[in-house]
Amino acid sequence: MRGNLFAVAVDLVVLTVRHDQLNVLLVRRAERPYESHWALPGGFVRPDEDLGDTAARELVEQTGAATQGAVQGHLEQLGGYAAPGRDPRGRVLSMGYLALLPDVPDPEPTGATAAFLPVEDVYGLAFDHDTILANGVERARAKLEYTTLAATFCPPEFTVTDLRRVYEAVWRTEIDPRNFQRKVTSTPGFLIPTATRVTGGRGRPPQLFRRGPATALHPPMLREPVAVAHA
Amino acid sequence: MRGNLFAVAVDLVVLTVRHDQLNVLLVRRAERPYESHWALPGGFVRPDEDLGDTAARELVEQTGAATQGAVQGHLEQLGGYAAPGRDPRGRVLSMGYLALLPDVPDPEPTGATAAFLPVEDVYGLAFDHDTILANGVERARAKLEYTTLAATFCPPEFTVTDLRRVYEAVWRTEIDPRNFQRKVTSTPGFLIPTATRVTGGRGRPPQLFRRGPATALHPPMLREPVAVAHA
DNA sequence: CCGCCTTCTCGTCGGCGTGAGGCTATCGGG
DNA sequence: CCCGATAGCCTCACGCCGACGAGAAGGCGG
């Protein structure tokens, strides 16, 4: 064993889609360093915890009532960040974790100290959190291609259009609704139709679906379409 | 900052293909715990090092003369492992790294303390290295699908058949040589033909290629073919 | 009540990549 | 000298995908 020891933290990239935009959960730091800067939510690993335990605990703590979301959400490890000097307090290794949640109805988690912000507007985070966030977003974008994780951004019951808007928000592209419908409805185990339909909106009432048991997408959903200037 | 500190190590999953089999570099432990057990090569992160620095340094140290391989090889982070109790000496977080190298000509790196062994025959490694190895192998298999990394297993100049045998060894499948040839030669930037051909073998002398600048494979190479009982 | 608009859903067509397989080129060896 | 083996090219059929047309089914304003 060696004498050079690390403090080990877990930092969360909590993503959700609200108002057709990919948002990330940030907290405003109350202490130094980086006081009053935005940062990814996170905390230190406790003696009896594995890394995933810490991530799950932090997710529940930081998203508060969104515990339900944690149940139907997704949590995976991103990677380790341990550059010397990344934390002025000393040697800190941070494990990035990626969490995908359905949009919480409307109220901000806990007022001004935490908020979901559009990832497009986010920069200048504390520590190396810009890098961790970028890696998390890229991971999420890649995973939508070959998994059914897009549905984790949706409420328990959703329409094909809801799902398409998730892809469009995360990838910042436009997808043909007709081809998208054919793709997702023809993939076995992706979407399970429910008996109900949506009423009250404009146009023909859409079918409601639930998540199916499928997790992989063969063949994958391709995203070469031109990135549209979403501004 | 907290009082519960971790020792941080980097463990390497060094893969190569020799004799049409996927092999992994292992070292025999000389100290307790797990004395005389096989383990992944690795070491602790030094005060001035980032994780990738440690991985690169260990790779050069452990593969010895294969420094050349490190240049043309591939090194990427796999993930962090920090379950309580994974190391009886105390709290140790290990970052797994995946390295892909061309086959070193023939001599074993350093005699009996280190050796390349077929991954199929490997189990019962020290610590949780079985898990890290499994994750590394799965990552390598997945990456061959949508990147040109298979060529990192090959010497600087190689034939299409050499490349195909890499895929077959890593995936443990059989691939149609003609369709494979069409696929890899029609992907822009994957293979660059050289002026020379191979002589002395049986059959028509094959064309020699070098790696091209392409890193991604669009569309990806699919591996649904039946896994063949390679035993 | 009747168009008209919006959105959902299904169909059609052509292009492309892939699996399957035929055929030729070019070597070593019996 | 023929034969087997390997390399490399070509063709064909099928399925998936992008582009697009058209019908289905609701709301809304005149």
Side-chain angles (χ1 to χ4, degrees):
Chain A
M1 207 66 82
R2 300 291 173 81
N4 50 324
L5 297 178
F6 289 66
V8 176
V10 165
D11 288 323
L12 297 177
V13 178
V14 182
L15 300 180
T16 194
V17 173
R18 56 167 46 176
H19 311 315
D20 294 341
Q21 276 192 314
L22 185 63
N23 282 42
V24 61
L25 179 66
L26 297 178
V27 296
R28 199 177 276 277
R29 285 184 60 82
E31 311 166 359
R32 301 202 301 175
Y34 295 100
E35 185 175 349
S36 81
H37 280 63
W38 288 108
L40 298 177
F44 288 96
V45 178
R46 294 179 179 169
D48 60 333
E49 283 179 330
D50 197 351
L51 299 171
D53 301 331
T54 307
R57 173 176 56 79
E58 293 287 341
L59 183 60
V60 171
E61 290 179 5
Q62 305 280 352
T63 60
T67 309
Q68 37 129 17
V71 174
Q72 68 193 41
H74 173 79
L75 187 62
E76 71 173 62
Q77 194 185 91
L78 269 177
Y81 304 83
R86 65 177 290 276
D87 190 320
R89 294 169 294 182
R91 204 69 206 268
V92 180
L93 181 147
S94 190
M95 293 301 307
Y97 269 77
L98 175 65
L100 310 183
L101 296 183
D103 190 11
V104 295
D106 244 22
E108 293 299 312
T110 59
T113 72
F116 278 103
L117 297 178
V119 294
E120 304 300 332
D121 307 337
V122 172
Y123 63 95
L125 297 182
F127 308 107
D128 50 2
H129 288 187
D130 281 330
T131 300
I132 302 177
L133 172 60
N135 291 349
V137 170
E138 183 47 41
R139 174 80 65 93
R141 286 184 172 141
K143 280 234 159 183
L144 290 208
E145 288 189 82
Y146 58 95
T147 71
T148 62
L149 276 178
T152 56
F153 286 118
C154 295
E157 299 201 336
F158 53 92
T159 68
V160 171
T161 298
D162 293 334
L163 190 64
R164 179 169 51 84
R165 292 202 200 285
V166 167
Y167 276 95
E168 292 178 336
V170 175
W171 286 349
R172 302 198 39 166
T173 58
E174 288 180 1
I175 302 176
D176 184 283
R178 299 160 289 188
N179 293 332
F180 181 82
Q181 176 129 352
R182 177 182 57 189
K183 172 75 175 175
V184 295
T185 57
S186 69
T187 299
F190 192 177
L191 300 182
I192 297 177
T194 68
T196 53
R197 288 176 165 271
V198 174
T199 61
R202 285 180 304 187
R204 175 174 172 175
Q207 175 72 258
L208 273 181
F209 293 89
R210 273 195 294 271
R211 290 199 61 176
T215 58
L217 233 47
H218 287 304
M221 186 100 57
L222 299 181
R223 53 150 171 161
E224 329 230 16
V226 211
V228 68
H230 197 267
Chain B
M1 210 63 85
R2 300 290 174 83
N4 50 327
L5 298 177
F6 290 66
V8 176
V10 165
D11 288 322
L12 297 177
V13 178
V14 183
L15 299 181
T16 194
V17 174
R18 60 168 43 178
H19 310 316
D20 294 339
Q21 276 191 312
L22 185 63
N23 282 43
V24 60
L25 179 65
L26 298 177
V27 296
R28 198 177 277 278
R29 286 185 58 82
E31 310 166 359
R32 299 201 303 174
Y34 295 101
E35 185 176 348
S36 82
H37 280 64
W38 289 109
L40 298 176
F44 289 96
V45 178
R46 294 179 179 169
D48 59 334
E49 284 179 330
D50 197 351
L51 300 171
D53 301 332
T54 308
R57 173 176 57 79
E58 294 286 342
L59 183 59
V60 171
E61 291 179 4
Q62 305 280 353
T63 60
T67 310
Q68 36 132 19
V71 174
Q72 66 194 44
H74 173 78
L75 186 62
E76 72 174 58
Q77 194 184 90
L78 269 177
Y81 304 83
R86 65 176 290 276
D87 190 320
R89 294 169 294 181
R91 203 73 206 265
V92 179
L93 182 148
S94 189
M95 292 302 306
Y97 269 78
L98 175 65
L100 309 183
L101 298 183
D103 191 11
V104 296
D106 243 22
E108 293 300 311
T110 59
T113 72
F116 279 102
L117 297 178
V119 294
E120 305 298 334
D121 307 338
V122 171
Y123 63 95
L125 297 181
F127 308 107
D128 51 3
H129 288 187
D130 281 331
T131 300
I132 302 177
L133 172 59
N135 292 349
V137 170
E138 184 46 43
R139 174 82 65 95
R141 286 183 172 142
K143 281 233 159 184
L144 291 208
E145 287 190 83
Y146 57 95
T147 71
T148 62
L149 276 179
T152 56
F153 285 119
C154 296
E157 299 202 336
F158 53 93
T159 67
V160 172
T161 297
D162 293 335
L163 190 64
R164 179 169 50 84
R165 291 202 200 284
V166 167
Y167 276 94
E168 293 178 336
V170 175
W171 285 350
R172 303 198 37 166
T173 57
E174 288 180 2
I175 303 176
D176 184 284
R178 298 158 296 187
N179 292 332
F180 182 83
Q181 175 129 354
R182 177 183 58 191
K183 172 73 175 177
V184 296
T185 56
S186 69
T187 299
F190 192 0
L191 299 182
I192 297 178
T194 68
T196 52
R197 288 174 165 272
V198 173
T199 61
R202 283 178 305 188
R204 176 174 170 175
Q207 175 71 257
L208 273 181
F209 293 89
R210 271 194 294 270
R211 291 200 60 177
T215 58
L217 232 48
H218 287 304
M221 186 99 59
L222 298 182
R223 55 151 169 159
E224 330 230 16
V226 212
V228 67
H230 197 267

